[in-house]
Structures are given as structure tokens and as C-alpha cells.
């Protein structure tokens, strides 16, 4: 039992089935927060302004993204439950037609004769198996065990926990004044490291090469920073001058 529970847990004790939410929440949080920091740096804004803008973005965007994931997951579950109720009604009211649909499904898979009838009889003998088969084979739908609350919670946690990294140098400068002269550079390095780690995790989810996943993620963050920095730089020149 302990081994099974341990295997289901991933980074920060998060269930591995939610790793995709953790990865994409972390990517979005890091990229958007770093874009704010880069834009503020390009506009030469005060440290306090960078912190306020960064934290406001972190909390508001993180909450918005988690709410979006909540409703998306809930909608998928509701849609699955609705179609399952329809199939359940059809089994009660049109059993012969539903049995024939099972027969047609497995005949299309190459089963025939006595073996086909045995497969059909085995499936329809168990109502839950029958329902699951109809949902999967006829409608192409499978129930996701992820709950809306956990999906939203993991997304928000990841968005904030990883997304705060670009702000750390600004948050810690009052404790470590030596950071003052290289705040944005330190933020760039810390963000690059965070994106590289998230890129590695992203590769686990997507099944892509780890190098490719890392380069894509870091490249996306770099592009967002480049655009934000120079937009801030240009706007600062236009507005102030």
C-alpha cells in the first residue's frame, strides 16, 4: 500500500495524474510574471512598482486560470454523466438494440461466430462494464478521475509557486542589498532555470525529447521577455519624453 501511494505522488506530493496541470500552470505563471518584470525593467520602473505589478499579475492570473480549469473539468464531467445517463436509459428501454450495438462494435474489431457471442454475453452480463463499453467504443468517451477542485488547486498552486521565481530577486533585495545592482539579470537567470525544470517536466507529459521540451519552454519565456522588455522601453520613452 505504501509503495502504491508513493508511486502516485510526484513533485511537492502532488498526485502524478495532475502533473499536466502542474506543468502548464507553472509555465504560464513563470512566463506571464517574467513578462511583467521584463516590461517594468524596460520602463525603468521602481522596485516597489515591479513587485506590485508582479504580485497582482501572479494572484489575479493564477486565480483566473484555476477557475477556467475548474469549469472546463466540470463541463467535461457533466457532459460524460449526461451521455452515460442516456446510455443507461437505452439499456433499460432498448436492450436488444444496445446488445446489437455491442455485437456490431466487436464484429468490426474482427470477432465472429461463437467467440463474438461469448464476448457480447460477457459484456452485457455486467451493467457497469456494458455502460463503460458503450461510452468508450460507441461515443469515444472515458471518464476522467480528476476532480475540478483538485485540478483548479494544483493549477493555482503551480502558477503561484513557480510563477513567483522571476520576482524573488526584487522581493529579497531589502534583505540582501547586494542584489540591487543586478536585479533584472538575476531574475533572468532564475527564470531561465525555472523554465528549464518545467520544460523537463513538460517533456514527461508530452512524450517529447527532453532537450526539445526544455528549449521550447525557455525559448517561449525568452520571446515573451524580449517583447515585454522592449514594449516597456518604448512606452517609457513615449510617455515620459
Amino acid at each position: 500500500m505504501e509503495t502504491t501511494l508513493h508511486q502516485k505522488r510526484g513533485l511537492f506530493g502532488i498526485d502524478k495524474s495532475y502533473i499536466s496541470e502542474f506543468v502548464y500552470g507553472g509555465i504560464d505563471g513563470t512566463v506571464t510574471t517574467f513578462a511583467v518584470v521584463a516590461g517594468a525593467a524596460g520602463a525603468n520602473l521602481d522596485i516597489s512598482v515591479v513587485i506590485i505589478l508582479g504580485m497582482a499579475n501572479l494572484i489575479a492570473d493564477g486565480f483566473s486560470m484555476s477557475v477556467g480549469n475548474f469549469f472546463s473539468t466540470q463541463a467535461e464531467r457533466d457532459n460524460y454523466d449526461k451521455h452515460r445517463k442516456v446510455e443507461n436509459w437505452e439499456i433499460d428501454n432498448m436492450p436488444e438494440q444496445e446488445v446489437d450495438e455491442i455485437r456490431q462494435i466487436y464484429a468490426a474489431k474482427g470477432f465472429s461466430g461463437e467467440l463474438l457471442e461469448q464476448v457480447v454475453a460477457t459484456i452485457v452480463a455486467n451493467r457497469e462494464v456494458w455502460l463503460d463499453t458503450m461510452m468508450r467504443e460507441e461515443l469515444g468517451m472515458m471518464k476522467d478521475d480528476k476532480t475540478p477542485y483538485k485540478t483548479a488547486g494544483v493549477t493555482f498552486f503551480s502558477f503561484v509557486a513557480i510563477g513567483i521565481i522571476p520576482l524573488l530577486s526584487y522581493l529579497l533585495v531589502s534583505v540582501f542589498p547586494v542584489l540591487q545592482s543586478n536585479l533584472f539579470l538575476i531574475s533572468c537567470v532564475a527564470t531561465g532555470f525555472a523554465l528549464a525544470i518545467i520544460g523537463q517536466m513538460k517533456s514527461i507529459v508530452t512524450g517529447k525529447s527532453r532537450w526539445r521540451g526544455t528549449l521550447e519552454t525557455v525559448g517561449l519565456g525568452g520571446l515573451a521577455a524580449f517583447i515585454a522588455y522592449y514594449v516597456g522601453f518604448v512606452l517609457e520613452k513615449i510617455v515620459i519624453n
Side-chain angles (χ1 to χ4, degrees):
M1 176 65 73
E2 291 181 1
T3 302
T4 302
L5 290 174
H6 176 73
Q7 289 174 344
K8 291 179 65 178
R9 296 294 171 180
L11 190 62
F12 300 116
I14 295 172
D15 189 323
K16 289 182 179 180
S17 62
Y18 292 90
I19 193 69
S20 59
E21 282 75 21
F22 184 89
V23 168
Y24 294 117
I27 290 175
D28 200 13
T30 304
V31 170
T32 56
T33 305
F34 187 52
V36 170
V37 172
N44 291 315
L45 299 181
D46 290 338
I47 293 175
S48 59
V49 177
V50 176
I51 292 174
I52 292 171
L53 291 176
M55 291 301 296
N57 168 82
L58 196 64
I59 302 302
D61 279 7
F63 182 75
S64 176
M65 186 177 183
S66 64
V67 168
N69 269 2
F70 175 89
F71 285 118
S72 176
T73 304
Q74 185 65 58
E76 289 180 2
R77 289 168 69 94
D78 289 344
N79 186 48
Y80 179 91
D81 290 341
K82 179 186 72 175
H83 284 85
R84 191 178 179 90
K85 286 179 181 178
V86 171
E87 290 297 330
N88 193 47
W89 182 90
E90 290 178 348
I91 287 175
D92 283 334
N93 294 275
M94 299 182 294
E96 293 182 2
Q97 181 177 324
E98 293 300 293
V99 170
D100 191 54
E101 286 181 1
I102 291 290
R103 184 177 291 107
Q104 292 176 28
I105 289 170
Y106 282 89
K109 293 178 181 292
F111 291 87
S112 61
E114 184 179 346
L115 179 58
L116 173 61
E117 295 307 318
Q118 289 177 353
V119 169
V120 172
T122 300
I123 291 173
V124 302
N126 186 313
R127 190 182 188 88
E128 290 302 310
V129 173
W130 191 354
L131 278 169
D132 288 341
T133 302
M134 295 301 294
M135 293 297 295
R136 183 178 62 253
E137 301 293 347
E138 182 185 23
L139 302 178
M141 301 177 69
M142 295 182 65
K143 187 170 184 178
D144 193 341
D145 291 331
K146 297 178 183 178
T147 68
Y149 290 103
K150 285 186 178 181
T151 297
V154 170
T155 299
F156 182 76
F157 172 77
S158 174
F159 193 101
V160 174
I162 308 299
I164 201 172
I165 290 176
L167 278 174
L168 287 180
S169 59
Y170 292 86
L171 292 170
L172 296 174
V173 69
S174 59
V175 180
F176 303 103
V178 69
L179 301 176
Q180 179 77 46
S181 59
N182 295 297
L183 282 178
F184 185 56
L185 176 60
I186 295 171
S187 178
C188 289
V189 173
T191 301
F193 180 75
L195 288 173
I197 297 299
I198 290 294
Q200 292 282 310
M201 296 177 66
K202 174 187 170 187
S203 297
I204 297 175
V205 176
T206 61
K208 292 182 179 179
S209 160
R210 291 197 174 190
W211 279 108
R212 180 179 177 181
T214 301
L215 290 174
E216 284 180 348
T217 307
V218 174
L220 175 63
L223 179 61
F226 177 82
I227 294 172
Y229 182 89
Y230 281 100
V231 166
F233 178 80
V234 171
L235 288 177
E236 188 266 345
K237 296 298 182 183
I238 294 175
V239 173
I240 295 180
N241 297 331

